Amino acid sequence: VIEAKGGKLSQIFDFMKNYVDELKKKDCLESEAVEEAFRKVKRHLLLEYFYETDEEGDQEYAGWKFSKKDFDPLDPDPEILKIIYSDQPILTRIDPPSSTSQPALVARMLEDLKLKEGLKVLEIGAGTGYNAALMAEIVGDQSLVTTLDIQEGVVRQTKRLLRQAGYGRIHVLARDGFFGCPENAPYDRIIATVGCTDISFHWVEQLAEEGFMLIPVQHGNLHPYLRLYRDKDRISGRFINWSGFMTIQGQLKIEGLWVKAPWKEMTEKPSREYPLFPAFQDEEDEEMRRDKTSEFYLFLTFKDRRAAALPQGSGLLEERKGAVVIEKDKIRLYNNAEPLYQELKKLYEEWNALGSPKIGDYKVEFLPLEKAPAQGDKVWIIERKFTKQLIIL
Ligand SMILES: C[S@@+](CC[C@H](N)C(=O)[O-])C[C@H]1O[C@@H](n2cnc3c(N)ncnc32)[C@H](O)[C@@H]1O
């Protein structure tokens, strides 16, 4: 294991301490085991360059401009450490993309994964190996962790940096996560750290009897993550929380399930405004109002392939035609989207009549495509590539 150059270690520990304090303040760290892991694993040792948002940058990803920052992980400057030990995702590759995810999300998912000493875990989306190293600390034995990435270049670099940082016994393999890793199965836990457009039945086969999976599954352009258990020939579980990941590549990738939401293009002036729907008007607290709108947004994604989460709010979007967006203070229409507004209003009334269900209120099942699913007025179906997803209230 290498140490930092030039007596920088104490400076690094200061940055790490503030970083953990910041995550604790955000209530993302609950258990001692996860907190300990965040105190131990040095995020900066698993990077040697990254892409920083920069208006003048010469690289582009998801509509944003970036420039590349190289550094020596053994001799990092304070301004590099400040970026790495802060609650932000860090882009490490652009095309195809890779990153180390936002630490608050990593922490929250690790808490929800309920790892314990001695449990065996499979990760889909190795990226920098940061999450894998955190998991290795929690389960107490590196060889219990297997992590897969579809990009060979990512795996080569991650293996090397993990080894240098003292995590050389984690299994890092280059392959499409769709296939899982039967060589090391069964797993007590399976976690995907990439936005999945579908679920793989290989994972279900490789899951231990009492185990569960934590999978961010695309709904609109976000990925609420689900805790899923094996239940005979089906997979069932519930939504746990929201997340936004980069989209999966390989076998599980599906294009066009929902409308592609623009991130920066919606700069034109709104053509009309309406007051917020009553359920959102009642919420004085900004955070509560946002939570309520995301709950409605989840319902929208079951009902309408035009559901989109935009920087200014969520609503319905029809490419080139217009959008209706529930914003902070008003509902705004872009490009005279009056018919879209009327449809959104109907969907709101339906959601409201159901008792404005929350993210955790639905039961979710994934069935093989050929299975005929249950019908009902409180059952919604999303047809994916290999599975039918049933959402049941
Ligand atoms: C957000 S990053 C993962 C972050 C990582 N867990 C970390 O701690 O740094 C998502 C990763 O998923 C990988 N990926 C995309 N599609 C994949 C697939 N089908 N199988 C395995 N990995 C995949 C990408 O190459 C990328 O490196």
Side-chain angles (χ1 to χ4, degrees):
V1 182
I2 42 169
E3 289 288 320
K5 271 183 195 164
K8 281 219 165 136
L9 216 51
S10 75
Q11 193 180 36
I12 291 166
F13 281 126
D14 285 345
F15 275 105
M16 287 179 77
K17 186 184 171 300
N18 292 340
Y19 167 71
V20 172
D21 288 348
E22 187 186 345
L23 293 176
K24 283 182 83 167
K25 252 191 233 145
K26 292 187 178 173
D27 288 330
C28 309
L29 291 170
E30 286 164 20
S31 66
E32 228 171 86
V34 177
E35 182 180 331
E36 255 326 278
F38 269 86
R39 289 194 189 282
K40 276 195 187 143
V41 182
K42 300 188 181 73
R43 198 183 190 206
H44 75 277
L45 288 183
L46 302 175
L47 299 164
E48 44 195 1
Y49 55 82
F50 57 85
Y51 293 90
E52 197 183 24
T53 42
D54 175 3
E55 288 283 310
E56 311 284 295
D58 56 352
Q59 312 264 349
E60 224 179 290
Y61 174 67
W64 301 91
K65 289 208 160 161
F66 292 87
S67 59
K68 193 174 178 211
K69 267 227 172 329
D70 286 287
F71 71 98
D72 176 359
L74 295 187
D75 194 14
D77 289 332
E79 76 263 23
I80 293 283
L81 290 170
K82 198 169 163 209
I83 296 172
I84 295 176
Y85 292 107
S86 67
D87 187 22
Q88 39 177 323
I90 297 176
L91 198 63
T92 50
R93 266 162 220 247
I94 295 227
D95 192 17
S98 187
S99 68
T100 158
S101 314
Q102 186 183 2
L105 174 61
V106 175
R108 236 184 319 110
M109 284 186 82
L110 283 179
E111 294 290 3
D112 290 328
L113 196 60
K114 301 185 190 305
L115 284 175
K116 283 195 286 271
E117 227 175 273
L119 292 190
K120 208 199 271 182
V121 56
L122 170 69
E123 179 187 37
I124 316 298
T128 61
Y130 183 54
N131 190 50
L134 292 166
M135 295 196 295
E137 288 292 348
I138 302 169
V139 298
D141 176 353
Q142 295 178 20
S143 68
L144 292 172
V145 179
T146 301
T147 183
L148 313 175
D149 205 287
I150 200 164
Q151 295 189 55
E152 278 186 26
V154 167
V155 168
R156 239 177 289 124
Q157 181 184 24
T158 295
K159 263 186 153 165
R160 175 170 53 80
L161 293 178
L162 275 174
R163 198 178 327 115
Q164 280 182 16
Y167 296 98
R169 290 175 55 239
I170 294 176
H171 307 282
V172 193
L173 288 105
R175 82 169 58 151
D176 186 341
F178 168 74
F179 299 104
C181 183
E183 304 93 294
N184 296 339
Y187 302 99
D188 302 295
R189 300 285 185 269
I190 298 179
I191 179 173
T193 51
V194 60
C196 297
T197 30
D198 202 354
I199 296 285
S200 166
F201 283 108
H202 294 291
W203 303 340
V204 191
E205 280 159 22
Q206 293 167 30
L207 191 64
E209 199 67 34
E210 302 290 309
F212 70 77
M213 322 196 274
L214 210 58
I215 313 290
V217 180
Q218 190 192 2
H219 284 81
N221 52 329
L222 292 178
H223 307 101
Y225 58 89
L226 289 138
R227 187 182 286 132
L228 295 167
Y229 296 84
R230 188 149 94 181
D231 184 5
K232 295 190 198 96
D233 63 338
R234 57 184 69 186
I235 314 167
S236 68
R238 283 182 187 271
F239 292 106
I240 303 294
N241 218 328
W242 286 97
S243 73
F245 276 100
M246 48 186 60
T247 310
I248 198 158
Q249 306 293 317
Q251 297 269 342
L252 288 174
K253 181 174 177 177
I254 318 170
E255 297 261 28
L257 259 181
W258 281 270
V259 67
K260 214 174 152 100
W263 285 97
K264 287 186 101 184
E265 291 90 317
M266 289 230 353
T267 46
E268 78 253 50
K269 283 221 157 53
S271 51
R272 188 156 185 191
E273 286 179 353
Y274 280 101
L276 290 175
F277 295 139
F280 313 135
Q281 260 173 14
D282 296 346
E283 290 304 341
E284 301 229 317
D285 183 292
E286 171 61 20
E287 210 170 306
M288 301 268 280
R289 199 197 49 75
R290 232 184 299 126
D291 285 354
K292 262 255 163 95
T293 9
S294 355
E295 275 146 17
F296 174 53
Y297 173 67
L298 183 65
F299 179 74
L300 268 189
T301 68
F302 310 155
K303 300 281 301 183
D304 203 307
R305 298 309 155 98
R306 297 166 300 177
L310 302 158
Q312 56 272 66
S314 50
L316 297 175
L317 172 85
E318 239 179 287
E319 252 176 308
R320 287 184 295 276
K321 282 202 187 149
V324 51
V325 187
I326 306 167
E327 300 186 10
K328 203 170 140 202
D329 51 340
K330 293 264 187 270
I331 296 177
R332 295 205 165 83
L333 275 57
Y334 295 86
N335 278 0
N336 302 311
E338 190 62 35
L340 273 187
Y341 171 76
Q342 295 304 334
E343 288 182 68
L344 186 76
K345 194 157 167 263
K346 265 208 193 110
L347 290 164
Y348 165 78
E349 280 155 9
E350 194 181 330
W351 176 72
N352 205 36
L354 289 167
S356 42
K358 295 188 175 23
I359 179 166
D361 291 344
Y362 307 95
K363 191 174 170 226
V364 179
E365 288 183 4
F366 290 88
L367 309 178
L369 270 188
E370 62 279 7
K371 282 249 172 192
Q375 307 281 340
D377 57 354
K378 290 188 185 176
V379 180
W380 299 275
I381 299 169
I382 299 174
E383 261 200 44
R384 296 183 183 268
K385 187 172 171 186
F386 301 102
T387 69
K388 270 186 194 138
Q389 179 189 359
L390 259 65
I391 301 126
I392 306 151
L393 186 66

